Amino acid sequence: MGFARACSVALVGVEGVVVEVQADLEAGVAAFTLVGLPDKSLVESRDRVRAAVVNSGAEWPQKKLTVGLSPASVPKGGSGFDLAVACAVLGAAERIDPASVADVVMIGELGLDGRVRPVRGVLPAVLAAAEAGYRQVVVPEQTAGEAALVPGVSVLGVRSLRQLIAVLCDEPVPDERQAHDEGRPDTMLAGLMVPGAGIGTGLARAGQADGHLPDLADVAGQERPRMALEVAAAGGHHLLLSGPPGAGKTMLAERLPAILPELTRKESLEVTAVHSVAGILPPGEPLVSRPPYCAPHHSATMQSLIGGGNGLPRPGAVSLAHRGILFLDEAPEFSVRALDALRQPLESGHVVVARSAGVVRLPARFLMMLAANPCPCGRHSLSGAGCECPPSAVRRYQARLSGPLLDRVDLRVLVDPVRREDLMGQGGRGESTAVVAARVRQARARSAERLAGTVWSTNSEVPGHELRTRLVAAPGALMEAERDMERGLLTARGLDRVLRVAWTVADLRGADRPDASDIAVALELRTGIPRGALTNAGTPS
């Protein structure tokens, strides 16, 4: 009898697969069968689509209706297929021309009244459609800005199925007014945000509620940790701050996002895609331009850090921090399994999560910052502070950060207690965020120029083989690092990471390549052994 097809996209993690939605009408008892490995929310689309079509003024076909989702082997879920199913059914019933929807990708949920509601993951879905060669996309009006970020794709934003039918049939488009009252939240946007996944788990806030922007000048003293923060931002190096409570470790971490440069266009699309799927993309802000800041609580499970959940795995904290910062405060309080699970993404820049429902590859190239106390009470490193922790408890506490994990951390800095003269303003005011951020941008520009034409964007991503063969340090600069390796203070991975940090230090001071002083700075920042290389923040001797 009647046959028509439309297209939609199934998301597997943050990657999309174009799905052909086929509708077939034939004589028989009126029934609606949906096949093609749909999940529960997609099976329920049968009732949503039927009510939406009737309430939009179209006639529902009283025949045997079969809707197939192809390829059938790909798991499909969510309510974003509603729009494509409705148009395929209307095409098979000849209410609209089947040819007008055959090569159009449609993404959106239908309400019972025919309104089109926004869904999560529009950007990665449109990216997948564009890569598959599709050039026309229909999305809910609220997410049209997000879909328009993909170049070469014509985007139509609609408010209702009635409007879409009018556009496809070349009829006058009805004016669908917004139903929500002024000054009240738009209930249509509820599907874009996952409850409990907002502030503090994804995007870094531009400022506090009182309008105060965190500034590095607020930090009293702490010259060496400030320099480590600058080196970490300039080269994308992982950082561990260890010291007693109240020394300013968390305060420094909260100021790290402000000194990072803005994301490039490619990085912005990557971050926006992850946040759109996770449901933490703020409405009205279709493109993320600043590096995200993710700070999970120390009670977080391994699944919440790496990714997981029922069915196909969802992005975890490491993916929400992609191209940004993952801050683990009170790092030894995290479970050992959760911390050791970070070892793969720290090396590869992505995480592969295998579940019974499928295997998902999620992006996870982040700057990790750890903050730790020296012992459970935090007073172990303070003379005369009265630490009562037994030596065995101190060893167990410090051993929670395993050797293989720490070997992947480029910078390990001890944070001393704040001195009285610094806290009272007698020790001078440190540099502001704007000054430090300018140096970081200049260092990033130097490294980007050097790495142009490669797949790497920061010094922390350059493989050790390249640093030992093509991007070599000055002659004789590695003598001290080689001695440390012979004495067992450095592993082979550690030597490579010292070279990466040395290149960043050289970029910060405007040198063409690192010399012995840059290597000494990198060694001191990694091993914590004083070598006379650090004099003041940001200035190697």
Side-chain angles (χ1 to χ4, degrees):
M1 296 290 291
F3 177 83
R5 64 185 179 90
C7 295
S8 191
V9 178
L11 289 177
V12 182
V14 294
E15 298 176 354
V17 178
V18 176
V19 174
E20 189 175 274
V21 181
Q22 303 170 342
D24 177 73
L25 284 174
E26 58 184 75
V29 178
F32 189 169
T33 304
L34 183 64
V35 297
L37 213 58
D39 71 349
K40 179 65 175 177
S41 61
L42 184 49
V43 169
E44 293 175 348
S45 69
R46 295 178 300 185
D47 299 319
R48 291 195 301 269
V49 170
R50 182 187 292 109
V53 168
V54 173
N55 290 327
S56 297
E59 183 179 352
W60 184 259
Q62 297 301 317
K63 297 179 181 180
K64 182 180 179 181
L65 170 63
T66 303
V67 174
L69 309 175
S70 180
S73 60
V74 176
K76 306 166 192 72
S79 56
F81 291 85
D82 290 1
L83 205 56
V85 171
C87 288
V89 172
L90 291 174
E94 299 183 352
R95 172 62 179 86
I96 59 179
D97 183 7
S100 64
V101 295
D103 295 317
V104 180
V105 175
M106 302 181 181
I107 305 165
E109 175 187 333
L110 285 174
L112 300 184
D113 57 356
R115 289 185 297 169
V116 180
R117 304 180 65 93
V119 294
R120 300 191 300 272
V122 166
L123 178 59
V126 177
L127 283 170
E131 292 176 359
Y134 292 87
R135 292 293 174 262
Q136 291 182 309
V137 177
V138 178
V139 298
E141 185 182 55
Q142 293 90 338
T143 57
E146 184 180 343
L149 296 173
V150 181
V153 176
S154 175
V155 179
L156 173 63
V158 295
R159 294 184 181 178
S160 67
L161 180 61
R162 188 181 295 105
Q163 281 189 339
L164 180 57
I165 294 173
V167 171
L168 295 174
C169 296
D170 199 20
E171 300 172 354
V173 179
D175 182 20
E176 301 283 358
R177 296 184 178 275
Q178 296 288 355
H180 73 285
D181 298 332
E182 293 293 335
R184 297 182 60 184
D186 187 357
T187 56
M188 295 288 286
L189 301 176
L192 295 178
M193 300 292 290
V194 174
I199 297 176
T201 59
L203 296 175
R205 288 170 287 175
Q208 303 298 327
D210 57 2
H212 174 69
L213 297 175
D215 198 301
L216 269 176
D218 300 333
V219 180
Q222 306 296 7
E223 289 83 4
R224 184 169 300 186
R226 286 171 59 100
M227 181 190 177
L229 207 71
E230 182 176 340
V231 172
H237 305 288
H238 307 306
L239 170 63
L240 166 65
L241 296 181
S242 178
K249 302 185 295 295
T250 304
M251 191 176 186
L252 286 164
E254 291 174 345
R255 281 148 181 78
L256 180 56
I259 65 176
L260 288 176
E262 289 196 353
L263 301 174
T264 64
R265 176 74 177 187
K266 179 184 176 184
E267 293 170 344
S268 294
L269 290 176
E270 293 175 2
V271 175
T272 303
V274 175
H275 289 188
S276 178
V277 170
I280 60 173
L281 192 64
E285 297 181 21
L287 186 65
V288 179
S289 60
R290 293 292 308 169
Y293 175 79
C294 190
H297 190 260
H298 58 74
S299 62
T301 62
M302 185 179 70
Q303 289 76 16
S304 66
L305 282 179
I306 303 303
N310 297 327
L312 286 175
R314 295 187 297 271
V318 297
S319 297
L320 300 183
H322 180 59
R323 300 296 181 184
I325 300 163
L326 177 67
F327 176 49
L328 303 183
D329 201 4
E330 306 291 348
E333 299 293 344
F334 283 78
S335 72
V336 175
R337 291 181 65 245
L339 290 174
D340 284 340
L342 297 173
R343 286 151 58 176
Q344 181 206 1
L346 286 176
E347 282 292 319
S348 61
H350 64 266
V351 60
V352 178
V353 184
R355 295 291 186 269
S356 60
V359 179
V360 172
R361 184 180 185 272
L362 299 168
R365 187 167 295 282
F366 53 88
L367 191 164
M368 182 179 69
M369 184 170 179
L370 306 173
N373 293 328
C375 68
C377 76
R379 300 191 296 270
H380 178 68
S381 60
L382 301 178
S383 59
C387 174
E388 299 179 355
C389 300
S392 59
V394 175
R395 286 195 300 270
R396 283 196 304 270
Y397 186 80
Q398 295 179 351
R400 294 178 70 87
L401 299 178
S402 66
L405 175 64
L406 290 179
D407 200 35
R408 291 165 168 82
V409 179
D410 303 346
L411 312 172
R412 310 172 195 171
V413 179
L414 293 176
V415 183
D416 297 323
V418 181
R419 298 178 300 178
R420 178 185 58 82
E421 55 268 25
D422 290 331
L423 187 61
M424 303 308 294
Q426 301 170 6
R429 184 179 174 89
E431 291 179 317
S432 67
T433 293
V435 174
V436 177
R439 280 203 302 268
V440 170
R441 287 194 300 269
Q442 293 172 1
R444 285 280 185 117
R446 292 183 66 87
S447 63
E449 182 180 357
R450 181 173 62 252
L451 300 175
T454 69
V455 297
W456 315 300
S457 57
T458 59
N459 291 328
S460 63
E461 302 173 15
V462 182
H465 178 266
E466 292 289 322
L467 297 173
R468 294 188 298 271
T469 57
R470 188 169 67 88
L471 301 173
V472 296
L478 291 175
M479 292 180 59
E480 190 171 359
E482 291 171 356
R483 284 196 298 267
D484 281 6
M485 189 174 180
E486 291 175 354
R487 289 183 291 178
L489 296 177
L490 282 179
T491 63
R493 180 191 289 120
L495 179 61
D496 290 343
R497 292 184 177 274
V498 165
L499 287 173
R500 295 172 181 174
V501 174
W503 272 104
T504 301
V505 175
D507 287 335
L508 283 169
R509 67 182 183 89
D512 292 332
R513 59 177 176 173
D515 57 17
S517 65
D518 299 322
I519 298 293
V521 171
L523 284 170
E524 186 167 343
L525 288 174
R526 180 173 179 83
T527 64
I529 300 175
R531 303 167 191 265
L534 300 176
T535 55
N536 51 58
T539 307
S541 60

